Amino acid sequence: MKSFLWSLLGGVIVFVGNNPATAQTKWTPDSTLRIMKKVADWQLKSWQSAGMHFPKWDWTNAAAYTGYMALNEVANDPKYIKFLYEIGEDVGWNTGPRRFFGDDYCIAQTFAQLYELYQQPKMLARFIPLADSILSQPHTESLEWKNSIQLREWAWCDALFMAPPALAYLSTALKDQKYIDAASRLWWRTTDYLFDSTENLYYRDSKFFGKKEANGQKVFWSRGNGWVMAGLVRMLENMPANYHGRGRFEDLFKRMATRIASLQCADGSWHASLLDPDSYPAKETSGTGFYCYALAYGVNHNLLPYEKFNPVIEKAWEALVTSVHKNGKLGNVQQIGEKPESVDSNSTEVYGTGGFLLAGTEMIKLQLKHSGNKNILAIINPISTNREESVVEM
């Protein structure tokens, strides 16, 4: 496949120094896929050798699985889908133990996507009753960050990646609109509370209302807003073109995309604090990965103009790739937290890998869309074009 794509697309790669994976001057679908697989394979080996730091159903790992699910669309390698299937089997297709805590059912996004491939009822048998119970709750509590509200409501902006897409993918898998209707309604409940319409950014949670950075600016966490942008993509992915609430989501996506693009740093990344990047001078790749993913998706789906946003996307992808170590480890990932914090080149976490793989998949689609050959995607993407061929016998 690689040699075919290479001859077909005619990419030119220049290697500099000792790290050819991160020294390319031009990215093609072929070279993008290679660096994605390098990062994905390093993460798999890390899990295999050292184990997972958190339970297999945990949100950290679940966010990574979303990236492997995306990689499966373009990799033409059954090991990634096999890995995800085995995760489902290992956890018994169960979400986490805290029923209404959005983090604990992030993994259901992957269950629903796997169900679309395999059509095995066991994959959703445990999530459907949970989803129905979420829909049945009144959802009338204040979202103020107290009394463990996060265990009952989507009271923090990260939840918009974890929870509503789980319901949205379930809606698509079952062809039942009630789940995306509920996800949409609760999305806007959180947005009405946490979205700053002046800055077009989300506070992480109510603790940050009124807080200031060292430069006097409001505190807007890069990865927190990255979670939101990626969550918007995953909501839009599950909305038909004529869905009654789609326009409102598209408007929010465009507003945030424009604002986020304006905040990109000279190094191509977004630092840990969106409005005070100088206080956190290092690149931060988890937020950057989600922004690259979202902006590339926006161009691919004609929500954002190519001419304006492609330079931003290209710089973001370069910032991500130059954070990959020789062995495939993705560095500059801020550790688990809730606010801007320092990061360095050795910092990594699994959700950073997930964001990188999501971004890379959209980069490949963007590169193909502007290659002049509209049929190339069917060549490197048999998984999405032929479901039967994509399914690994289990």
Side-chain angles (χ1 to χ4, degrees), residues 181-381:
D181 284 348
S184 299
R185 176 171 60 85
L186 295 176
W187 177 288
W188 292 113
R189 186 166 186 264
T190 300
T191 296
D192 289 344
Y193 190 70
L194 295 179
F195 185 66
D196 185 318
S197 59
T198 301
E199 299 289 352
N200 288 324
L201 297 169
Y202 281 72
Y203 292 101
R204 196 275 178 174
D205 60 64
S206 68
K207 297 193 307 295
F208 294 90
F209 295 167
K211 285 191 176 181
K212 302 293 184 181
E213 293 282 14
N215 65 357
Q217 295 291 324
K218 299 174 184 177
V219 179
F220 291 111
W221 180 34
S222 179
R223 186 166 73 237
N225 281 272
W227 287 126
V228 176
M229 288 291 290
L232 274 170
V233 168
R234 298 176 78 74
M235 288 292 285
L236 290 168
E237 276 279 83
N238 290 282
M239 289 181 178
N242 62 349
Y243 182 71
H244 61 86
R246 185 180 177 92
R248 191 179 181 193
F249 277 89
E250 289 183 350
D251 288 344
L252 176 62
F253 178 84
K254 292 173 184 177
R255 287 177 67 181
M256 286 197 73
T258 299
R259 179 61 164 144
I260 290 300
S262 74
L263 296 173
Q264 187 178 37
C265 295
D267 60 20
S269 77
W270 288 263
H271 296 186
S273 173
L274 290 175
L275 300 189
D276 188 13
D278 291 342
S279 291
Y280 306 88
K283 292 189 295 183
E284 199 292 300
T285 55
S286 60
T288 298
F290 290 129
Y291 294 139
C292 186
Y293 165 55
L295 297 178
Y297 175 91
V299 172
N300 286 334
H301 290 79
N302 302 314
L303 294 170
L304 304 173
Y306 174 83
E307 293 76 12
K308 178 178 178 180
F309 283 91
N310 189 60
V312 177
I313 296 165
E314 291 284 347
K315 286 179 63 178
W317 182 243
E318 191 67 21
L320 290 168
V321 169
T322 53
S323 299
V324 176
H325 293 221
K326 293 179 182 180
N327 63 0
K329 171 185 171 180
L330 176 65
N332 288 91
V333 180
Q334 186 187 326
Q335 298 301 282
I336 296 169
E338 61 178 13
K339 61 184 183 297
E341 293 176 345
S342 299
V343 64
D344 61 46
S345 63
N346 285 315
S347 302
T348 195
E349 252 302 349
V350 294
Y351 46 76
T353 298
F356 185 91
L357 298 177
L358 288 170
T361 301
E362 287 300 322
M363 288 298 298
I364 288 176
K365 294 175 182 178
L366 183 63
Q367 292 155 356
L368 292 172
K369 182 176 180 179
H370 292 275
S371 70
N373 189 331
K374 296 181 180 180
N375 296 318
I376 296 175
L377 192 57
I379 296 170
I380 77 159
N381 189 6

Side-chain angles (χ1 to χ4, degrees), residues 143 145 149-150 153-157 159 190 193-194 204-206:
L143 299 186
W145 197 260
I149 186 60
Q150 72 274 19
E153 303 286 352
W154 303 343
W156 71 113
C157 72
T190 300
Y193 190 70
L194 295 179
R204 196 275 178 174
D205 60 64
S206 68

Side-chain angles (χ1 to χ4, degrees), residues 24-54:
Q24 301 179 13
T25 60
K26 182 177 177 62
W27 289 91
T28 67
D30 183 45
S31 57
T32 299
L33 181 57
R34 279 191 280 119
I35 190 65
M36 289 172 66
K37 294 180 75 171
K38 188 178 184 72
V39 170
D41 291 348
W42 177 87
Q43 189 66 71
L44 285 178
K45 290 177 183 177
S46 177
W47 277 326
Q48 291 164 357
S49 63
M52 292 185 171
H53 297 156
F54 302 97

